[in-house]
């Protein structure tokens, strides 16, 4: 049974509790001075990796948990957070603010890192809550030619490098089995991410964090999609309140809803 | 006097400019859109389960029609003929490409993606379209990577053959993006493109190429929630329960009769799902289902932005919540402040008797 070398890509995004505002130039969302944090699905990926080690659920054990993020200097913050949660080390691929990579470029970058780090399991979030694309994990699996299990709600390891994953699908759940190496993307129900404790935050500062550039990995930031404009969605006006159930029914009738 | 002279001058100026530009530009404007449209061809990836066509997936054909150009449909699985015949009845579809092979029954991307890629290359399609469903989400990015194309996910509108509109940031912003890829790989939001009806058409059915790639994953089992109620994603009415329901027993006792009195599908907020009141597959929101029914009735749901992302395009939103300050009331067309344990059973009774 192979020891696991897990790669966990994490993304720094606008905090999920913040209501994003479109910028004046209509080129994107206002990010300056806005609270950022780790994409919530990526927290689940980090948590799952650490649990696999702690619970010794993989017969071959966990040799390495490496977190990686491509982004501006502040992306290092989310890598530190992931290391405080239990990841062993981090790779920060420096990308200038405002020059975000498209999912296909991220998948190519990750493929290069997988080859370099000899990873045999990549655990990603099912989507990032900023672009909502839900593509990177599947693209990476396609480029590597590895099996993929998306929207995982349960991951178990068996003999002979097998991994069984229960996935959330329309209408319920589906279970698939594959052999390492593979790509898994996490869904909300997979686990409950831990908070990093203060001692672990301090320890994480000493863990290795390697900085790289796209060119170190032989990747160019090639954009295929041009953002023509970004606008606010049409506002929805609340229609006021009614006093009682009869008022509710008659208003719904008036609106043609029942 | 001065004013009228000025405006006349302006008018003259305006009048002369278009004349000169129109003569200048006409040689360059040899109807390029229609010339492109002749080359444009779309492949709609259709879903099937147990030999039955998933009619929701016919939304992909609606989107293809908006693009213009020729439209082919794609289906694969065992005994695929009846599915292909049904899909062939959709008006405007020229051809259904069918691959009869049980290896594709479960729609696993490990062999379905190479299968699609072979057929895309053979057909020379410019646009590949599938629903942003569990199947489409897991399959299409893999296809896009194999084609070296940057996918455009979950689009809600088509501006032209290169330009698409999609919500980002949980629907808090709407992005218009232009793709420079020769093959556009697209998933569509079902609620933005109504499913094409399977009638009026007579497409030919053709066997697709089958690379029969060895599959690296094994399908083990599935556990699908059984329900006689309408499907959440396509229902005309949805009643959705949140944390306010307090327990699974109460959720079932309160929400199910309400749903039945309206002939509605049942949805839930993430809080209700995480607390085990309702099945995961019922979650409405940014990371669950996106619905846009005629009526969305939110019961005991506060209205977090992640939830609103999944339902704010509903025609009519109604809310019952005991907290008059709950954000859900800012988007609801009609709100009732009160204890859902009193109000909902009363509503259910009155709907039944009316």
């Amino acid at each position: 049974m192979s020891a696991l070398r897990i790669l966990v890509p994490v993304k720094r995004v606008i905090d999920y509790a913040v209501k994003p505002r479109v910028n004046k130039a209509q080129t994107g969302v206002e990010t300056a001075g806005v609270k950022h944090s780790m994409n919530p699905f990526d927290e689940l990926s980090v948590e799952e990796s650490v649990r696999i080690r702690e619970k010794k659920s993989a017969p071959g054990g966990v040799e390495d948990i490496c977190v990686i993020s491509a982004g501006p200097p502040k992306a290092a913050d989310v890598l530190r957070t992931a290391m405080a949660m239990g990841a062993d080390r981090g790779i920060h691929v420096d990308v200038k603010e405002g020059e975000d990579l498209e999912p296909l470029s991220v998948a190519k970058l990750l493929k290069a890192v997988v080859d370099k780090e000899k990873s045999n399991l990549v655990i990603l979030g099912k989507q990032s809550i900023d672009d909502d694309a839900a593509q990177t994990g599947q693209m990476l699996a396609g480029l590597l030619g590895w099996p993929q299990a998306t929207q995982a709600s349960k991951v178990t390891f068996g003999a002979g490098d097998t991994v069984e994953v229960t996935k959330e699908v329309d209408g319920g759940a589906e279970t698939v089995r594959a052999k390492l190496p593979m790509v898994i993307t996490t869904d909300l129900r997979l686990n409950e991410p831990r908070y990093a404790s203060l001692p672990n935050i301090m320890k994480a500062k000493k863990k290795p964090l390697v900085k790289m550039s796209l060119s170190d990995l032989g990747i160019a930031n090639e954009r295929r999609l041009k953002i023509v404009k970004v606008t606010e969605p049409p506002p929805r006006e609340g229609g006021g309140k009614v006093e009682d159930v009869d008022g509710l029914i008659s208003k719904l009738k008036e609106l043609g809803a029942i | 006097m001065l004013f009228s002279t000025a405006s006349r001058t302006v008018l003259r100026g305006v009048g002369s400019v278009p004349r000169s530009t129109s003569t200048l530009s006409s040689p360059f404007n040899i109807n390029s859109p229609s010339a492109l449209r002749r080359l444009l061809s779309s492949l709609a990836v259709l879903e099937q389960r147990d030999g039955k066509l998933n009619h929701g997936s016919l939304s992909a054909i609606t989107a293809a029609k908006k693009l213009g150009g020729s439209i082919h449909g794609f289906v694969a699985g065992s005994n695929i003929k009846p599915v292909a015949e049904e899909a062939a009845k959709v008006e405007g579809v020229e051809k259904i490409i069918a691959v009869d092979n049980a290896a594709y029954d479960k729609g696993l991307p490990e062999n379905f993606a190479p299968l699609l890629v072979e057929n895309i290359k053979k057909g020379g399609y410019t646009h590949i379209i599938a629903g942003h469903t569990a199947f489409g989400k897991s399959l299409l990015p893999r296809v896009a990577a194999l084609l070296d194309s940057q996918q455009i996910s979950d689009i809600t509108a088509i501006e032209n053959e290169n330009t698409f509109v999609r919500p980002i940031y949980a629907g808090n912003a709407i992005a218009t993006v232009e793709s420079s890829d020769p093959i556009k790989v697209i998933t569509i939001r079902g609620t933005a493109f109504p499913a094409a009806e399977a009638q009026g058409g007579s497409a030919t059915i053709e066997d697709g190429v089958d690379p029969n790639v060895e599959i690296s994953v094994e399908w083990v089992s599935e556990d699908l929630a059984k329900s006689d109620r309408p499907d959440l994603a396509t229902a005309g009415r949805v009643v959705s329960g949140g944390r306010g329901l307090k327990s699974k027993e109460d959720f079932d006792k309160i929400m199910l009769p309400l749903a039945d009195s309206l002939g509605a599908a049942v949805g839930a907020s993430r809080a209700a799902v995480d607390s085990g009141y309702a099945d995961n597959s019922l979650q409405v929101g940014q990371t669950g289902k996106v619905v846009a029914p005629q009526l969305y009735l939110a019961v005991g749901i506060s209205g977090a932005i992640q939830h609103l992302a999944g339902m704010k395009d509903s025609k009519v939103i109604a809310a019952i919540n005991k907290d008059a300050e709950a954000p859900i009331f800012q988007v609801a067309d009609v709100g009732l402040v009160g204890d859902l344990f009193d109000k909902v059973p009363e509503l259910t009774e009155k709907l039944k008797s009316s």
Side-chain angles (χ1 to χ4, degrees), chain B residues 45-103:
Chain B
V45 185
L46 306 178
E47 299 182 33
Q48 63 97 22
R49 171 177 286 276
D50 303 330
K52 289 210 175 64
L53 179 68
N54 174 344
H55 281 248
S57 70
L58 297 179
S59 291
I61 293 176
T62 307
K65 281 183 180 167
K66 293 204 169 159
L67 281 164
S70 69
I71 305 169
H72 294 180
F74 184 88
V75 286
S78 52
N79 298 320
I80 203 67
K81 201 149 179 270
V83 180
E85 280 169 358
E86 204 181 343
K89 292 192 187 117
V90 178
E91 196 217 312
V93 178
E94 278 176 26
K95 198 190 280 179
I96 298 293
I97 314 283
V99 174
D100 195 326
N101 184 342

XYZ file of all heavy atoms in Angstrom, chain B residues 45-103:
420
model
N -25.287 17.828 -24.985
C -25.054 16.558 -24.292
C -26.294 16.255 -23.450
O -26.617 17.004 -22.522
C -23.798 16.644 -23.405
C -23.500 15.290 -22.779
C -22.605 17.141 -24.213
N -26.989 15.193 -23.805
C -28.254 14.863 -23.138
C -28.031 13.762 -22.095
O -27.147 12.925 -22.233
C -29.284 14.423 -24.173
C -29.487 15.428 -25.320
C -30.486 14.896 -26.334
C -29.949 16.785 -24.777
N -28.856 13.803 -21.067
C -28.705 12.820 -19.989
C -29.779 11.757 -20.091
O -30.899 12.017 -20.531
C -28.830 13.524 -18.624
C -27.764 14.582 -18.408
C -27.862 15.237 -17.039
O -28.259 14.561 -16.075
O -27.527 16.433 -16.934
N -29.414 10.553 -19.685
C -30.390 9.481 -19.612
C -30.145 8.677 -18.340
O -29.040 8.668 -17.803
C -30.309 8.583 -20.847
C -28.982 7.851 -21.007
C -29.016 6.415 -20.478
O -30.072 5.815 -20.357
N -27.842 5.885 -20.166
N -31.180 8.052 -17.867
C -31.043 7.174 -16.704
C -31.941 5.973 -16.925
O -33.128 6.140 -17.238
C -31.448 7.925 -15.436
C -31.548 7.049 -14.203
C -31.871 7.866 -12.970
N -30.692 8.610 -12.543
C -29.728 8.096 -11.763
N -29.831 6.863 -11.321
N -28.685 8.813 -11.420
N -31.361 4.806 -16.788
C -32.101 3.552 -16.967
C -32.911 3.548 -18.265
O -34.081 3.163 -18.277
C -33.039 3.306 -15.772
C -32.272 3.280 -14.458
O -31.089 2.886 -14.492
O -32.846 3.663 -13.425
N -32.299 4.017 -19.324
C -32.967 3.977 -20.625
C -34.057 5.015 -20.810
O -34.844 4.940 -21.747
N -34.116 6.005 -19.896
C -35.107 7.077 -20.057
C -34.385 8.411 -20.238
O -33.459 8.731 -19.496
C -36.007 7.153 -18.823
C -36.966 5.992 -18.707
C -38.248 6.416 -17.991
C -39.266 5.299 -17.971
N -38.781 4.127 -17.174
N -34.850 9.160 -21.230
C -34.272 10.474 -21.475
C -34.628 11.416 -20.321
O -35.785 11.464 -19.892
C -34.834 11.029 -22.795
C -34.370 12.414 -23.211
C -32.888 12.395 -23.573
C -35.182 12.926 -24.391
N -33.637 12.140 -19.827
C -33.894 13.160 -18.813
C -34.342 14.435 -19.539
O -33.540 15.107 -20.179
C -32.619 13.385 -18.000
C -32.748 14.527 -17.013
O -33.657 15.357 -17.097
N -31.835 14.581 -16.071
N -35.631 14.742 -19.433
C -36.173 15.860 -20.202
C -35.591 17.195 -19.774
O -35.517 18.120 -20.572
C -37.708 15.853 -20.138
C -38.294 14.841 -21.073
N -39.019 15.182 -22.175
C -38.188 13.497 -21.086
C -39.373 14.083 -22.828
N -38.873 13.043 -22.175
N -35.170 17.283 -18.495
C -34.516 18.508 -18.034
C -33.282 18.821 -18.868
O -32.950 19.990 -19.102
N -32.611 17.766 -19.344
C -31.368 17.994 -20.090
C -31.632 18.581 -21.473
O -30.702 19.030 -22.154
C -30.549 16.708 -20.192
O -31.169 15.765 -21.037
N -32.891 18.616 -21.893
C -33.224 19.235 -23.184
C -33.074 20.765 -23.148
O -33.175 21.428 -24.171
C -34.646 18.848 -23.614
C -34.862 17.339 -23.853
C -36.302 17.055 -24.241
C -33.917 16.802 -24.923
N -32.802 21.296 -21.958
C -32.446 22.725 -21.851
C -31.242 23.037 -22.722
O -31.117 24.144 -23.248
C -32.077 23.072 -20.402
O -33.206 23.019 -19.586
N -30.342 22.064 -22.855
C -29.134 22.271 -23.661
C -29.506 22.564 -25.111
O -28.820 23.319 -25.805
C -28.226 21.055 -23.573
N -30.607 21.971 -25.564
C -31.048 22.211 -26.945
C -31.640 23.616 -27.073
O -31.413 24.314 -28.063
C -32.035 21.115 -27.390
C -31.257 19.784 -27.473
C -32.698 21.462 -28.720
C -32.087 18.577 -27.804
N -32.365 24.050 -26.046
C -32.898 25.420 -26.041
C -31.753 26.426 -26.169
O -31.832 27.390 -26.942
C -33.674 25.682 -24.732
O -34.633 24.640 -24.573
C -34.362 27.019 -24.744
N -30.684 26.177 -25.400
C -29.525 27.082 -25.456
C -28.887 27.030 -26.845
O -28.510 28.071 -27.398
C -28.513 26.706 -24.380
N -28.786 25.837 -27.414
C -28.184 25.688 -28.742
C -29.002 26.449 -29.785
O -28.454 27.060 -30.704
C -28.082 24.214 -29.110
N -30.320 26.432 -29.631
C -31.180 27.171 -30.568
C -30.897 28.658 -30.504
O -30.933 29.361 -31.505
C -32.655 26.912 -30.237
C -33.159 25.583 -30.748
C -34.645 25.447 -30.437
C -35.187 24.124 -30.939
N -36.514 23.848 -30.373
N -30.627 29.160 -29.291
C -30.330 30.586 -29.150
C -29.041 30.954 -29.852
O -28.873 32.078 -30.311
C -30.249 30.965 -27.672
C -31.595 30.838 -27.010
C -31.763 31.699 -25.789
C -33.240 31.666 -25.427
N -33.533 32.018 -24.070
N -28.105 30.015 -29.922
C -26.844 30.283 -30.607
C -27.040 30.345 -32.108
O -26.355 31.082 -32.808
C -25.837 29.171 -30.296
C -25.129 29.230 -28.952
C -24.495 27.899 -28.633
C -24.084 30.328 -28.966
N -27.989 29.560 -32.613
C -28.154 29.429 -34.054
C -27.215 28.341 -34.563
O -26.501 27.710 -33.778
N -27.188 28.130 -35.870
C -26.328 27.082 -36.413
C -26.964 25.712 -36.250
O -28.080 25.584 -35.754
N -26.241 24.692 -36.679
C -26.826 23.351 -36.635
C -26.713 22.782 -35.222
O -25.823 23.135 -34.450
C -26.124 22.442 -37.645
O -24.810 22.210 -37.213
N -27.668 21.915 -34.893
C -27.718 21.343 -33.551
C -27.739 19.818 -33.634
O -28.597 19.233 -34.308
C -28.987 21.811 -32.795
C -29.062 23.338 -32.767
C -29.016 21.234 -31.395
C -30.396 23.875 -32.273
N -26.796 19.203 -32.968
C -26.825 17.760 -32.786
C -26.982 17.462 -31.299
O -26.564 18.254 -30.466
C -25.535 17.110 -33.299
C -25.360 17.223 -34.791
N -24.275 16.703 -35.441
C -26.136 17.791 -35.746
C -24.385 16.936 -36.745
N -25.499 17.610 -36.953
N -27.597 16.317 -31.018
C -27.705 15.873 -29.627
C -26.830 14.651 -29.431
O -26.540 13.928 -30.391
N -26.402 14.420 -28.185
C -25.546 13.270 -27.914
C -26.100 12.457 -26.753
O -26.417 13.003 -25.698
C -24.123 13.737 -27.569
C -23.155 12.608 -27.381
C -22.461 12.081 -28.463
C -22.960 12.036 -26.118
C -21.583 11.017 -28.302
C -22.079 10.979 -25.954
C -21.393 10.467 -27.046
N -26.239 11.147 -26.955
C -26.651 10.255 -25.862
C -25.789 8.997 -25.895
O -25.344 8.574 -26.959
C -28.145 9.840 -25.949
C -29.054 10.981 -25.557
C -28.511 9.316 -27.340
N -25.568 8.427 -24.713
C -24.810 7.178 -24.652
C -25.285 6.331 -23.482
O -25.680 6.858 -22.445
C -23.314 7.466 -24.519
N -25.242 5.016 -23.666
C -25.655 4.079 -22.629
C -26.123 2.794 -23.278
O -26.089 2.661 -24.511
N -26.586 1.850 -22.447
C -27.060 0.594 -23.029
C -28.481 0.766 -23.564
O -29.246 1.587 -23.052
C -27.006 -0.527 -21.990
O -27.660 -0.133 -20.821
N -28.827 0.012 -24.587
C -30.147 0.110 -25.235
C -30.549 1.559 -25.455
O -31.599 2.004 -25.008
C -31.210 -0.592 -24.378
C -30.887 -2.063 -24.248
O -30.454 -2.701 -25.217
N -31.061 -2.589 -23.049
N -29.687 2.270 -26.133
C -29.840 3.715 -26.223
C -30.880 4.123 -27.270
O -31.324 5.267 -27.304
C -28.460 4.368 -26.509
C -28.440 5.835 -26.074
C -28.047 4.219 -27.967
C -28.527 6.036 -24.596
N -31.309 3.160 -28.106
C -32.162 3.503 -29.244
C -33.442 4.261 -28.859
O -33.725 5.315 -29.431
C -32.500 2.240 -30.047
C -32.915 2.567 -31.454
C -32.541 1.495 -32.449
C -33.016 1.877 -33.831
N -34.360 1.402 -34.148
N -34.213 3.740 -27.867
C -35.445 4.477 -27.524
C -35.158 5.891 -27.027
O -35.930 6.824 -27.306
C -36.066 3.644 -26.398
C -35.350 2.349 -26.379
C -34.061 2.500 -27.106
N -34.049 6.056 -26.300
C -33.679 7.388 -25.804
C -33.358 8.297 -26.994
O -33.812 9.438 -27.063
C -32.445 7.299 -24.862
C -32.070 8.680 -24.339
C -32.727 6.356 -23.705
N -32.593 7.750 -27.936
C -32.212 8.532 -29.120
C -33.452 8.899 -29.922
O -33.581 10.030 -30.408
C -31.233 7.727 -29.977
N -34.399 7.955 -30.036
C -35.614 8.224 -30.809
C -36.440 9.333 -30.169
O -37.003 10.174 -30.859
C -36.441 6.942 -30.937
C -35.888 6.035 -32.030
C -36.496 4.644 -32.025
O -37.342 4.363 -31.141
O -36.098 3.844 -32.891
N -36.483 9.307 -28.841
C -37.233 10.352 -28.148
C -36.562 11.718 -28.350
O -37.242 12.710 -28.635
C -37.316 10.005 -26.660
C -38.493 10.656 -25.986
C -38.567 10.329 -24.513
O -37.927 9.372 -24.057
O -39.287 11.072 -23.819
N -35.249 11.726 -28.214
C -34.516 12.986 -28.382
C -34.627 13.495 -29.816
O -34.623 14.703 -30.060
C -33.046 12.788 -27.995
N -34.761 12.583 -30.752
C -34.837 12.954 -32.172
C -36.117 13.722 -32.489
O -36.227 14.378 -33.518
C -34.740 11.708 -33.040
N -37.071 13.652 -31.578
C -38.351 14.345 -31.813
C -38.291 15.826 -31.449
O -39.244 16.556 -31.679
C -39.460 13.674 -30.996
C -39.774 12.273 -31.486
C -41.062 11.763 -30.860
C -41.291 10.305 -31.204
N -41.278 9.470 -29.996
N -37.195 16.268 -30.846
C -37.105 17.674 -30.464
C -36.938 18.516 -31.727
O -36.075 18.259 -32.562
C -35.912 17.922 -29.514
C -35.806 19.405 -29.164
C -36.060 17.090 -28.256
N -37.794 19.520 -31.846
C -37.777 20.374 -33.027
C -36.456 21.135 -33.147
O -35.931 21.652 -32.159
C -38.932 21.370 -32.913
C -39.265 22.042 -34.204
C -39.641 23.485 -33.974
O -40.464 23.748 -33.088
O -39.077 24.339 -34.674
N -35.922 21.171 -34.346
C -34.710 21.949 -34.595
C -33.434 21.140 -34.493
O -32.368 21.622 -34.862
N -33.533 19.920 -33.997
C -32.338 19.086 -33.889
C -32.149 18.327 -35.193
O -33.081 17.695 -35.688
C -32.448 18.100 -32.706
C -31.222 17.192 -32.633
C -32.615 18.860 -31.405
N -30.952 18.426 -35.771
C -30.699 17.776 -37.055
C -30.354 16.302 -36.894
O -30.741 15.468 -37.696
C -29.521 18.456 -37.771
C -29.906 19.701 -38.501
C -28.687 20.384 -39.096
O -27.679 19.702 -39.377
O -28.755 21.617 -39.266
N -29.574 16.036 -35.860
C -29.040 14.686 -35.736
C -28.844 14.323 -34.271
O -28.476 15.180 -33.470
C -27.681 14.647 -36.445
C -27.185 13.259 -36.785
C -25.759 13.291 -37.261
C -25.617 13.718 -38.714
N -24.210 13.763 -39.143
N -29.114 13.070 -33.962
C -28.770 12.574 -32.622
C -27.621 11.582 -32.801
O -27.721 10.623 -33.572
C -29.971 11.865 -31.956
C -31.140 12.841 -31.754
C -29.546 11.232 -30.627
C -30.903 13.955 -30.757
N -26.535 11.851 -32.115
C -25.403 10.927 -32.118
C -25.610 9.994 -30.926
O -25.722 10.464 -29.790
C -24.055 11.671 -31.920
C -23.956 12.911 -32.807
C -22.881 10.719 -32.084
C -23.646 12.651 -34.232
N -25.691 8.696 -31.186
C -25.973 7.751 -30.108
C -24.858 6.712 -30.033
O -24.381 6.227 -31.054
C -27.313 7.070 -30.352
N -24.444 6.413 -28.815
C -23.441 5.363 -28.629
C -24.040 4.317 -27.687
O -24.361 4.615 -26.531
C -22.121 5.928 -28.058
C -21.153 4.795 -27.731
C -21.498 6.905 -29.047
N -24.234 3.117 -28.213
C -24.874 2.049 -27.456
C -23.801 1.205 -26.771
O -23.132 0.404 -27.410
C -25.702 1.181 -28.424
C -26.677 0.300 -27.662
O -26.339 -0.142 -26.545
O -27.782 0.052 -28.188
N -23.612 1.459 -25.480
C -22.593 0.726 -24.749
C -22.880 0.888 -23.260
O -22.939 2.005 -22.753
C -21.205 1.294 -25.104
C -20.074 0.510 -24.452
O -20.283 -0.243 -23.497
N -18.865 0.704 -24.962
N -23.070 -0.223 -22.578
C -23.421 -0.187 -21.153
C -22.338 0.488 -20.307
O -22.604 0.912 -19.184
C -23.664 -1.609 -20.640
N -21.121 0.596 -20.853
C -20.032 1.222 -20.098
C -20.341 2.688 -19.780
O -19.712 3.273 -18.898
C -18.730 1.130 -20.889
